[in-house]
Amino acid sequence: MAMSVLTPLVQIFQYSLTPIAPFTWFGLGINTIDVVAAFRLCIVLRQIKDRLHQQHIATKGRHSVEAASFVKNLSTTLTVVYGGEAITGPFLGLPPSFMLSGVVPALYATVQAVVDILPSVPDPSPQLEIPLAIVDGFTRTYLVCSLIPPSVTANASPSIASSPWTLLLTSLITANGGFFLTNLFSFLNPTPLTVQTPPELQAYGWTTADLWCAPLATGLYALLTHAQPFWGDAHSLIVALLGGAYNGKEVEAVDPEVARAVCALLLSTIFLGRTAKNFGLWKKQVGVPATGNKTKTQ
C-alpha cells in the first residue's frame, strides 16, 4: 500500500531531476526542479515586495521609496538562495557553490529578469497556493535531502561527516539563512536598506513551518537511509521499540529515492497545512438558529 503511494513520487523525482533542453545543448545539468524553483522563488519575492510597496504607499506615501532596481532584486534573490550556504560553508571547510560555477546564478538572473518585466504577478490566493504548496514540498525536499546532506556526510573531516548535530544544524541554517539575511537587512522593503529584527527572532517566530521543517525532513531522510552511523543505530532502536523484528540484526536502510519520496510527502502535507492556516481555510462556520446568521469560530 505504501509503495503504491510512493512509487509515483519516486517517478516524479526521476523525471524532474533529468537535465532538460535547451540546457543540455550546452552540456549544462539544469533540470525541471531547478527551473520551477527559480520561477517560484522569484515570483514569491515579487509578490512580497509588491505587497510591502503598496502598504508603504498607503500608510506613508512615497517618502523614502526607492526606484525599482534589477540589481537590488537580483541581489535579494541570490541572498535567499545562497545566504545560508555562505554561512555554513566556511564552518564545513567548503567553498559556496556559486564560487565554483556560475550556471545556477545565471539561471536565477535570467528568471529574475523575466519576472521583473512582467506587468504584474498574481496575488496569493488559495486556488494558486494550494497546488503550489505541493510543488514547494518537492523543491524543498530536493534541497534538504539531495543537496544539503552530502556537504556533511561526504565531508573530508571524519568528525563532521559522522556528526548528526552538524547535519541537522547545517540543514537548518542553509535552508533558512538566506531569508534570515534578507529580512535582517530589509531587502524586500521599498525603502533603503536598514537593519531590522527578522521574523525568526520575533515572538513565536520559531514556530514558522519553513524554519523547522528543514532539519525535520533532513533528519527523517538520514534516519531512513542511515546517512550516518547514529541514524542507523537510531533506526534499529525505533524498530525494536515499536515491536518490529530486530533479533540483534541491523535494520536495513531504505532506498534513498524512496526515502526522498517519503520526505516529499511529509513536506507537501506540512505546506498544505500552512497554506490552509494562512488563508483561514480551517475556520468553521457555526449557524445561529435565532437569526440564521453565521459566525466564525476558531
Side-chain angles (χ1 to χ4, degrees):
M1 178 64 181
M3 286 306 299
S4 63
V5 175
L6 296 177
T7 299
L9 303 182
V10 171
Q11 293 173 342
I12 290 174
F13 267 115
Q14 291 175 342
Y15 174 80
S16 59
L17 292 178
T18 303
I20 58 175
F23 306 104
T24 52
W25 302 345
F26 306 98
L28 305 178
I30 300 297
N31 55 54
T32 303
I33 282 188
D34 291 328
V35 176
V36 170
F39 272 101
R40 172 64 169 157
L41 176 61
C42 290
I43 291 175
V44 166
L45 291 178
R46 175 163 174 184
Q47 289 173 330
I48 296 173
K49 286 182 283 191
D50 287 352
R51 175 173 55 83
L52 292 176
H53 184 272
Q54 293 170 0
Q55 291 176 351
H56 185 89
I57 295 298
T59 57
K60 300 180 181 180
R62 296 191 174 276
H63 177 68
S64 300
V65 174
E66 294 184 322
S69 167
F70 169 74
V71 175
K72 182 180 180 181
N73 292 341
L74 179 59
S75 299
T76 302
T77 300
L78 294 180
T79 299
V80 172
V81 175
Y82 292 112
E85 182 184 355
I87 295 173
T88 58
F91 293 102
L92 298 175
L94 300 172
S97 59
F98 61 83
M99 296 294 293
L100 302 177
S101 172
V103 173
V104 175
L107 170 66
Y108 276 92
T110 302
V111 173
Q112 185 66 59
V114 172
V115 172
D116 276 4
I117 64 175
L118 294 176
S120 63
V121 294
D123 291 330
S125 66
Q127 294 77 12
L128 284 176
E129 293 302 317
I130 287 178
L132 288 175
I134 300 175
V135 175
D136 292 341
F138 276 83
T139 56
R140 185 62 63 89
T141 298
Y142 178 48
L143 173 64
V144 301
C145 295
S146 297
L147 299 182
I148 294 177
S151 65
V152 175
T153 58
N155 197 280
S157 169
S159 59
I160 291 178
S162 61
S163 171
W165 170 250
T166 302
L167 179 63
L168 298 181
L169 187 62
T170 299
S171 178
L172 173 68
I173 297 175
T174 305
N176 297 290
F179 263 111
F180 180 87
L181 294 175
T182 300
N183 290 319
L184 176 64
F185 296 108
S186 63
F187 271 100
L188 297 170
N189 292 345
T191 51
L193 298 184
T194 184
V195 176
Q196 62 182 9
T197 304
E200 294 86 352
L201 298 184
Q202 296 178 15
Y204 300 103
W206 60 270
T207 62
T208 305
D210 294 85
L211 191 64
W212 53 262
C213 73
L216 173 66
T218 298
L220 177 60
Y221 180 79
L223 177 70
L224 295 176
T225 61
H226 300 181
Q228 296 167 317
F230 168 84
W231 300 106
D233 295 340
H235 194 184
S236 299
L237 177 61
I238 292 173
V239 170
L241 292 176
L242 294 178
Y246 178 48
N247 299 326
K249 297 181 180 179
E250 183 179 355
V251 177
E252 292 185 2
V254 176
D255 180 81
E257 291 192 351
V258 175
R260 187 171 59 192
V262 172
C263 293
L265 185 61
L266 171 66
L267 290 183
S268 294
T269 302
I270 291 174
F271 291 153
L272 282 170
R274 177 195 63 184
T275 301
K277 177 180 179 296
N278 289 343
F279 287 99
L281 302 181
W282 285 354
K283 295 180 179 179
K284 297 181 180 179
Q285 291 185 336
V286 181
V288 181
T291 62
N293 295 329
K294 295 183 178 180
T295 59
K296 292 183 179 180
T297 62
Q298 287 183 285

